Amino acid sequence: MENNQSYKSEKKLAAGILGILVGYLGIHKFYLGYKKEGIIQIVLTFVTFGFAGIIPFVEGIMYLMKSDEEFDKTYIQGKKGWF
């Protein structure tokens, strides 16, 4: 990195918080640009009467546990849709 600045992900914090708080609606997926996965999350939530809401909760925690650079490589550049 130039000027000895640490790497900073622009979407990690927001995606993590959205996943934890309103992920059952697929908001974190739409925020990251994953339309198909967002729609799947909404359908899963309704089909399972909300039990599939644990998936985005876990994903939100995983997002926040990754380093900023690892998050960007995996979810922004690598376009990994799930976990």
Side-chain angles (χ1 to χ4, degrees):
M1 304 268 22
E2 294 179 14
N3 301 332
N4 291 331
Q5 294 177 346
S6 61
Y7 190 89
K8 184 73 176 152
S9 174
E10 296 179 13
K11 294 191 172 192
K12 181 181 113 172
L13 182 61
I17 292 172
L18 287 171
I20 291 169
L21 297 179
V22 290
Y24 62 94
L25 295 173
I27 303 294
H28 65 302
K29 297 292 188 187
F30 292 115
Y31 179 73
L32 292 173
Y34 302 136
K35 293 175 187 165
K36 179 177 72 173
E37 290 86 348
I39 292 169
I40 291 170
Q41 181 62 56
I42 292 170
V43 170
L44 281 174
T45 296
F46 286 107
V47 168
T48 63
F49 300 103
F51 288 112
I54 192 69
I55 296 168
F57 182 80
V58 171
E59 284 183 326
I61 292 171
M62 288 175 57
Y63 292 167
L64 295 175
M65 297 294 288
K66 292 185 178 293
S67 70
D68 290 350
E69 191 170 4
E70 185 180 6
F71 175 84
D72 277 353
K73 283 182 182 176
T74 305
Y75 300 106
I76 305 300
Q77 296 167 5
K79 295 288 185 189
K80 183 177 178 184
W82 297 98
F83 293 99

